[in-house]
Amino acid sequence: MAASMQLQPAEVYFAQKLAANEKKIRDRAVKKLRKYISVRSQSVGFSEDDMLKIWKGLHYCMWMCDKPLVQEDLADTLSNLLQCFDNNAQAFLFIDAFFQTQCREWFGIDRLRLDKFMMLIRRVIHQCLLMLKIKKWKVTLVKQFLSILEKYVISDGDSAGPDGLKFHLADIYLDELSSVGIDSLKPDILQIFLEPYCTMMTRCQNKHLVSHVVNRIFKNIIDQSDVGKDEEEDDSEDEDEEENQDADKAPKLQFDYTAIADKLFDLAKGNNCLSRNRPAIYDLVKRFKDLAAGIFPSDDIIGSSDEDDPISNADFNMAVQRLRKVEKMGIKKKKTKKRKLEETHEGSEEEPKKKKKKKSKQVVKEDESQINGILDKEPPKKKKNKCKSEQQSKSESNDKNDELEGEGHSTTRNLANNSQKKSRKLKNAADNADSFVGGIGESNGVVSTKKDKKREK
């Protein structure tokens, strides 16, 4: 183990300890790293790879840190490591490795950890400006620091950082300059600090970034000017006098407005300037010239002056009218879309009801067809009743047949009896006739019958 530790570089060892899971190990590694940097920077110095390894460990040390107050303390301690370098070259190498690491690891930061890394960037910028202030704002050192920013943050080159980092630096740039050098920064040094953003305005292809730089850097300078403060005081007469006095006493950065306008105008005339960025640059030139003349520029100014602007006032007014017509057409289209959406919603609400009605009609038709079928043919449900009715009808018919058969037997019997009676009467009549004939023959001509007796009577 001891041999492996001796063979392992110190930077790799610190990177492993700085990215440990336990907070105690990370805190010890940060303290040891501070001593190690102060000793080695005076003797041997660091290479670029060594600095990248150290910042890799420091980045994940910040990654593993939790809780807001602990994160603020760690951001302060990591940014204060810059003060351990006595050599300017080693200090700028430390800054270069920091921005290179942040540009490489930026897209791997999730939204929950983004705030603490933005805070770390702000603290490092603050410490860099403090270092330049200690060096009394030497122009060479200021330009060396700005070259690092142009390489990674304020540039559109191949090695430029992500847009999120550029947006964040534009947000904090003037605030950190005012917090550090509000008393010591002169207009010529401030002009050097603004030059990277002036050149960026000419070459930047991201229109959203251009508008953000205009609002957060240049228009912020205009709003903080003395003329802008006077305009605000005239508008807000109802405010307390004490607040206005405190605002007047508050120090502010002193910019040379004519120098800013001339620099922007020279860059906009060049061949390297993009044509789509020129209107915004000429607009800023116009505003800074008005500030230099003591006039606060209004927000209605668009484009550049009449000499440099190829668009006439008539064309401008026509364009405004067209834009208003387009806006009206857009409003009408939105209203029609809303009406259509409402109609579709109403139709979607009524459609299921209509469908239900159609279903009911279909059910009625089916019922009618079933009724017609029942009239033609008996339904299958009533088969049992049908069978029962058939059996009952059969039994009734059998009973009727039996009754008919019984009646038939009785009639035949009556007829037979009547025929027997008639046959008996005929026999009696025949017997009487025979007896009468025999009596005649026996009496030798004496005929005495009951009929004759009756006749005689």
Side-chain angles (χ1 to χ4, degrees), residues 143 146 150 187-188 190-203 218 221 255-273 277-278 280-282 284-286 288-289:
K143 289 183 178 180
L146 292 175
E150 287 178 348
D188 55 349
L190 286 173
Q191 182 66 28
I192 295 170
F193 276 105
L194 289 178
E195 284 180 358
Y197 279 107
C198 293
T199 55
M200 182 184 179
M201 287 282 294
T202 60
R203 296 179 297 178
F218 295 103
I221 293 169
F255 290 94
D256 189 358
Y257 304 122
T258 54
I260 296 170
D262 294 335
K263 181 67 176 178
L264 289 171
F265 186 72
D266 292 335
L267 291 171
K269 288 193 300 183
N271 295 324
N272 295 324
C273 181
N277 293 341
R278 278 174 181 161
I281 297 171
Y282 285 136
L284 291 174
V285 171
K286 177 74 174 176
F288 282 111
K289 284 183 179 179

Side-chain angles (χ1 to χ4, degrees), residues 106 118 121-122 125 153-154 163-178 197 208-209 211-218 220 224:
W106 184 263
M118 292 170 73
I121 292 164
R122 191 182 188 110
I125 293 290
V153 187
I154 314 175
D163 290 338
L165 192 57
K166 296 175 184 178
F167 278 92
H168 179 58
L169 184 63
D171 290 332
I172 65 174
Y173 195 68
L174 289 179
D175 293 337
E176 295 301 325
L177 279 174
S178 61
Y197 279 107
H208 301 290
L209 183 59
S211 63
H212 190 74
V213 169
V214 169
N215 292 321
R216 300 298 298 173
I217 300 294
F218 295 103
N220 198 0
Q224 291 179 2

Side-chain angles (χ1 to χ4, degrees), residues 62 71 106 109-121 168:
M62 193 71 190
Q71 291 170 3
W106 184 263
I109 301 170
D110 57 343
R111 62 183 183 83
L112 299 174
R113 294 184 174 90
L114 189 61
D115 292 335
K116 60 184 177 182
F117 282 103
M118 292 170 73
M119 180 178 62
L120 177 63
I121 292 164
H168 179 58

Side-chain angles (χ1 to χ4, degrees), residues 436-452:
F436 180 72
V437 173
I440 292 170
E442 288 179 354
S443 62
N444 292 318
V446 179
V447 178
S448 62
T449 60
K450 292 180 178 181
K451 292 181 179 180
D452 291 334

Side-chain angles (χ1 to χ4, degrees), residues 66-265:
D66 293 328
K67 297 179 182 179
L69 295 176
V70 180
Q71 291 170 3
E72 289 180 5
D73 293 336
L74 182 61
D76 290 331
T77 54
L78 296 183
S79 61
N80 286 328
L81 291 174
L82 183 62
Q83 306 301 330
C84 299
F85 294 95
D86 293 331
N87 190 358
N88 293 328
Q90 292 290 309
F92 286 116
L93 185 62
F94 183 79
I95 297 167
D96 188 282
F98 167 73
F99 282 106
Q100 189 175 352
T101 302
Q102 296 304 316
C103 292
R104 186 183 66 247
E105 302 291 338
W106 184 263
F107 293 107
I109 301 170
D110 57 343
R111 62 183 183 83
L112 299 174
R113 294 184 174 90
L114 189 61
D115 292 335
K116 60 184 177 182
F117 282 103
M118 292 170 73
M119 180 178 62
L120 177 63
I121 292 164
R122 191 182 188 110
R123 299 298 170 84
V124 171
I125 293 290
H126 186 79
Q127 291 297 325
C128 292
L129 294 175
L130 281 175
M131 182 188 73
L132 294 174
K133 185 179 180 180
I134 292 168
K135 304 294 182 181
K136 296 181 179 180
W137 306 106
K138 289 183 180 179
V139 178
T140 56
L141 297 178
V142 170
K143 289 183 178 180
Q144 193 173 356
F145 170 67
L146 292 175
S147 65
I148 296 170
L149 294 181
E150 287 178 348
K151 184 179 179 182
Y152 296 109
V153 187
I154 314 175
S155 177
D156 284 338
D158 296 331
S159 61
D163 290 338
L165 192 57
K166 296 175 184 178
F167 278 92
H168 179 58
L169 184 63
D171 290 332
I172 65 174
Y173 195 68
L174 289 179
D175 293 337
E176 295 301 325
L177 279 174
S178 61
S179 65
V180 175
I182 196 71
D183 298 328
S184 58
L185 275 173
K186 296 180 181 180
D188 55 349
I189 303 298
L190 286 173
Q191 182 66 28
I192 295 170
F193 276 105
L194 289 178
E195 284 180 358
Y197 279 107
C198 293
T199 55
M200 182 184 179
M201 287 282 294
T202 60
R203 296 179 297 178
C204 184
Q205 296 180 357
N206 189 351
K207 61 181 181 179
H208 301 290
L209 183 59
V210 171
S211 63
H212 190 74
V213 169
V214 169
N215 292 321
R216 300 298 298 173
I217 300 294
F218 295 103
K219 286 187 178 179
N220 198 0
I221 293 169
I222 294 169
D223 293 335
Q224 291 179 2
S225 63
D226 295 331
V227 181
K229 291 288 179 67
D230 295 335
E231 291 289 335
E232 288 179 359
E233 288 176 1
D234 294 335
D235 293 334
S236 59
E237 294 178 353
D238 296 332
E239 293 181 356
D240 295 333
E241 294 180 356
E242 296 179 357
E243 293 180 357
N244 292 328
Q245 290 176 0
D246 294 335
D248 293 334
K249 292 178 181 179
K252 51 187 175 295
L253 295 172
Q254 299 295 328
F255 290 94
D256 189 358
Y257 304 122
T258 54
I260 296 170
D262 294 335
K263 181 67 176 178
L264 289 171
F265 186 72

Side-chain angles (χ1 to χ4, degrees), residues 323-338:
L323 285 172
R324 288 176 181 174
K325 288 180 181 179
V326 170
E327 288 178 355
K328 289 179 181 178
M329 292 296 291
I331 292 166
K332 289 181 180 179
K333 287 180 180 180
K334 286 180 181 179
K335 288 180 178 179
T336 53
K337 285 181 180 179
K338 286 181 180 179

Side-chain angles (χ1 to χ4, degrees), residues 394-406:
K394 285 180 182 180
S395 62
E396 289 175 357
S397 62
N398 291 325
D399 294 333
K400 287 180 181 180
N401 291 325
D402 293 333
E403 289 176 359
L404 291 171
E405 286 177 0

